[in-house]
């Protein structure tokens, strides 16, 4: 079993839908949680960063962390075709330098 | 503005060939990371530099993989005697300071290596 599990999809939704993307993890030492967006043939770019449990909102994006369930989510409101990409969750523990463990990514397709 | 650049963008090698992949980080960024991303997978850590010092190489899969950053800016990832399992996208990322947990990593577009 991998440390970070993420459904690869693809997840196909109509424009304007609310999208929910999720990851589960097994390492209880993880404290820092990130979501990256990766367009085809590009490198990942950081979308959201959260420390420990709770919610964080940035525009149309909301990140949630539930450490008791070892479950994190990214919600995208009013999804747009330009949101079509692969979304990677990543997390790191509280010791050492910043070396994140990534999920395999979920492919999201938002169709007009 | 200038982001992280990588070259070549695509590389095809015959099994057994040596390859060298280059990363130009954002100017002034102290930390530099290399990752390997297999098809349909997330990036996996290979190695980490702080300036010219290689502080962590625990992710390098074998002694055929070697990375350097001699002047603390440009970095090269070298793979000797390439094997088919080395086929992947190799991503470079840089961050402004010493690789702390709150430091944003900026990724390059990657080099797609195909070993025939």
């Amino acid at each position: 079993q991998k440390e970070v599990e993420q459904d690869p999809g693809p997840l196909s939704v109509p424009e304007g839908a609310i999208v929910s993307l999720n990851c589960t993890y097994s390492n209880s030492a993880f404290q820092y949680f990130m979501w990256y967006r990766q367009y085809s043939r590009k490198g990942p770019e950081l979308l959201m960063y959260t420390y420990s449990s709770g919610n964080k909102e940035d525009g149309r994006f909301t990140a949630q962390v539930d450490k008791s369930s070892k479950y994190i989510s990214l919600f995208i409101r009013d999804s747009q075709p330009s949101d079509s990409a692969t979304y990677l969750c990543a997390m790191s523990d509280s010791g050492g330098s910043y070396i994140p463990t990534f999920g395999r990514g979920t492919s999201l397709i938002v169709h007009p | 503005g200038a982001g992280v650049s990588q070259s070549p963008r695509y590389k095809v090698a015959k099994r057994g060939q040596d390859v060298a992949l280059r990363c130009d980080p954002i100017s002034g960024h102290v930390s530099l990371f290399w990752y390997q991303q297999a098809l349909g997978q997330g990036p996996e850590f290979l190695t980490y530099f702080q300036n010219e010092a290689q502080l962590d190489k625990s992710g390098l899969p074998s002694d055929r993989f070697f990375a350097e950053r001699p002047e603390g800016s440009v970095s090269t990832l070298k793979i000797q005697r390439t094997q088919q399992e080395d086929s992947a996208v190799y991503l470079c990322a840089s961050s402004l300071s010493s690789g702390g947990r709150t430091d944003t990593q900026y990724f390059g577009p990657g080099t797609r290596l195909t070993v025939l």
Side-chain angles (χ1 to χ4, degrees):
Chain A
Q1 184 189 8
K2 288 194 170 186
E3 275 192 303
V4 179
E5 297 284 354
Q6 188 174 11
D7 189 324
L11 177 61
S12 182
V13 301
E15 183 175 356
I18 296 174
V19 174
S20 172
L21 303 165
N22 312 293
C23 288
T24 59
Y25 63 95
S26 56
N27 186 347
S28 57
F30 286 145
Q31 298 275 1
Y32 301 86
F33 303 92
M34 294 139 283
W35 286 96
Y36 287 81
R37 178 174 63 196
Q38 186 173 24
Y39 290 113
S40 180
R41 306 206 180 266
K42 302 285 187 185
E45 58 175 324
L46 182 66
L47 276 178
M48 302 280 288
Y49 165 83
T50 313
Y51 171 71
S52 195
S53 285
N55 294 1
K56 186 173 184 178
E57 187 174 322
D58 184 1
R60 295 186 295 112
F61 298 90
T62 300
Q64 284 187 354
V65 175
D66 181 349
K67 290 188 67 183
S68 62
S69 301
K70 297 190 178 69
Y71 187 90
I72 69 170
S73 301
L74 178 71
F75 297 95
I76 307 173
R77 291 183 298 281
D78 188 26
S79 56
Q80 303 295 310
S82 58
D83 295 328
S84 298
T86 296
Y87 290 79
L88 299 152
C89 63
M91 43 201 83
S92 62
D93 61 28
S94 55
S97 62
Y98 176 49
I99 310 293
T101 300
F102 285 85
R104 64 182 300 183
T106 298
S107 175
L108 172 67
I109 302 167
V110 181
H111 50 87
Chain B
V4 178
S5 60
Q6 293 186 245
S7 60
R9 290 293 315 276
Y10 303 91
K11 177 70 179 177
V12 178
K14 291 183 179 178
R15 191 160 55 106
Q17 276 187 328
D18 297 349
V19 298
L21 313 179
R22 176 186 169 109
C23 173
D24 285 78
I26 294 172
S27 178
H29 276 198
V30 168
S31 294
L32 186 144
F33 304 79
W34 283 98
Y35 295 86
Q36 181 189 61
Q37 187 173 24
L39 188 64
Q41 302 297 319
E44 292 203 357
F45 169 76
L46 293 177
T47 188
Y48 160 59
F49 290 86
Q50 190 177 119
N51 295 307
E52 69 279 2
Q54 189 174 20
L55 298 188
D56 189 338
K57 53 182 182 179
S58 62
L60 296 176
S62 77
D63 59 7
R64 296 185 296 103
F65 286 71
F66 171 77
E68 60 183 3
R69 194 186 184 198
E71 298 178 357
S73 55
V74 171
S75 177
T76 303
L77 177 67
K78 297 178 179 177
I79 309 173
Q80 297 177 323
R81 304 181 303 281
T82 52
Q83 303 294 315
Q84 284 189 321
E85 62 263 28
D86 300 334
S87 295
V89 175
Y90 290 85
L91 294 165
C92 175
S94 69
S95 65
L96 181 59
S97 60
S98 57
R101 287 176 295 280
T102 60
D103 221 17
T104 299
Q105 291 189 23
Y106 296 89
F107 282 82
T111 294
R112 182 177 298 271
L113 173 65
T114 303
V115 182
L116 303 177

